[in-house]
Amino acid sequence: MIQFDHVSKVYSGGHMALQKVSFHLHAGEMAFLTGHSGAGKSTLLKLISIQERPSDGRILFNRRDLSQITKAEVPFIRRQVGMIFQDHRLLLDRSVFDNVALPLQIAGASPLEIQKRVMAALDKVRLHKKAQHFPMMLSGGEQQRVGIARAIVNMPPLLLADEPTGNLDASLAHEIMQLFRELNALGVAVLVASHDQKLIEESGQRKLVLQQGRLVEDTGAEHGA
Ligand code: ADP
Ligand code: ADP
């Protein structure tokens, strides 16, 4: 599904954030991306969601070369990627329902479709009873689950999460990871950037390790390229 082939990223200031990174994430696969702060995790995720462009190398998304796609095609690719952030980025003046509905409204879905899909997404994160609540009324773990519901509401084949448990205590972090595993079991590919070594080791899942922009370890390399 995602193939990085000797991908490098140099930011405008000259900083090399990624150096010749190669890996393959298959459809339906789940993996962690780890490394110290500044190692390049966010940059790698931003290259997949086309918020940044590679300086060198090739990124394939479902066999499409991301360097070849036009500006007009960017929203089409982005719709296939659900993004989850550490700070969840919810709109505080809108209800849980309206936050989750946002991607569907942007995509022009009908009210009936929106009602059905938002409730299905909230059901998956076990928050259907709080659809009319506002984010401030929810706990940190619940807010993150709303962020996940918003990311999955248009059923993208790939989820990217950037430090999704960074603000949560250990038990809530486990709860969030359990949700990712459940979504992965439904066939969604999941790539989670995290520096929580304990969480990663306990999961037993594939781990990609970045160190100063280089991919220095990939425990799932046998699946690869
Ligand atoms: P991580 O997510 O692992 O903390 P990042 O991908 O955010 O790492 O950053 C990798 C390196 O690239 C860091 O040194 C960071 O300061 C730098 N960097 C990130 N974004 C930019 C940017 N927009 N412009 C310049 N440098 C950047
Ligand atoms: P994250 O926690 O996602 O790694 P950061 O705090 O590193 O985020 O960066 C926040 C924003 O600032 C991001 O959009 C990132 O691309 C940008 N950024 C990070 N480092 C630099 C930098 N050295 N110069 C310019 N922009 C940067």
Side-chain angles (χ1 to χ4, degrees):
M1 161 169 269
I2 300 283
Q3 189 173 348
F4 270 55
D5 188 8
H6 295 87
V7 173
S8 296
K9 173 65 184 178
V10 183
Y11 282 110
S12 46
H15 183 84
M16 195 166 227
L18 291 176
Q19 268 187 75
K20 296 194 174 154
V21 170
S22 300
F23 72 94
H24 200 145
L25 185 79
H26 291 268
E29 198 179 358
M30 179 160 173
F32 283 96
L33 180 63
T34 190
H36 293 124
S37 179
K41 304 182 295 296
S42 295
T43 298
L44 191 152
L45 297 184
K46 284 175 186 171
L47 290 172
I48 298 173
S49 55
I50 328 181
Q51 290 166 271
E52 294 287 353
R53 299 282 194 157
S55 311
D56 198 17
R58 200 172 57 140
I59 303 172
L60 298 181
F61 187 110
N62 284 333
R63 300 202 174 77
R64 284 299 309 275
D65 186 339
L66 290 188
S67 66
Q68 301 290 315
I69 68 155
T70 62
K71 260 209 174 103
E73 290 174 291
V74 169
F76 175 76
I77 300 282
R78 283 220 188 112
R79 229 169 284 153
Q80 301 179 58
V81 183
M83 305 269 296
I84 293 138
F85 309 94
Q86 174 168 2
D87 56 3
H88 54 70
R89 303 190 189 175
L90 301 177
L91 300 174
L92 300 181
D93 60 344
R94 301 201 193 185
S95 68
V96 165
F97 185 98
D98 289 342
N99 267 281
V100 176
L102 216 61
L104 295 175
Q105 282 166 345
I106 292 167
S110 72
L112 195 69
E113 177 94 4
I114 290 176
Q115 176 69 26
K116 204 177 78 187
R117 293 235 222 139
V118 169
M119 291 319 289
L122 286 175
D123 205 39
K124 283 210 183 70
V125 302
R126 297 183 274 279
L127 276 178
H128 48 283
K129 287 186 183 147
K130 301 207 168 169
Q132 297 312 324
H133 288 224
F134 281 77
M136 297 298 263
M137 302 158 71
L138 305 178
S139 69
E142 288 174 332
Q143 290 173 351
Q144 191 53 290
R145 276 150 58 196
V146 177
I148 294 172
R150 182 185 52 191
I152 63 173
V153 74
N154 56 10
M155 296 185 274
L158 173 65
L159 287 181
L160 301 179
D162 198 349
E163 299 286 355
T165 63
N167 291 328
L168 303 177
D169 68 29
S171 91
L172 286 177
H174 277 112
E175 197 183 296
I176 295 297
M177 290 317 307
Q178 179 57 29
L179 263 184
F180 284 133
R181 277 192 289 274
E182 288 171 20
L183 294 167
N184 178 242
L186 298 174
V188 182
V190 184
L191 184 58
V192 182
S194 172
H195 59 244
D196 189 338
Q197 294 307 322
K198 196 156 170 274
L199 197 74
I200 296 171
E201 297 309 330
E202 282 169 5
S203 78
Q205 251 139 356
R206 179 180 178 188
K207 178 172 79 165
L208 298 156
V209 185
L210 285 173
Q211 202 175 79
Q212 294 175 345
R214 290 180 183 276
L215 186 62
V216 294
E217 188 185 353
D218 178 358
T219 62
E222 67 272 17
H223 304 289

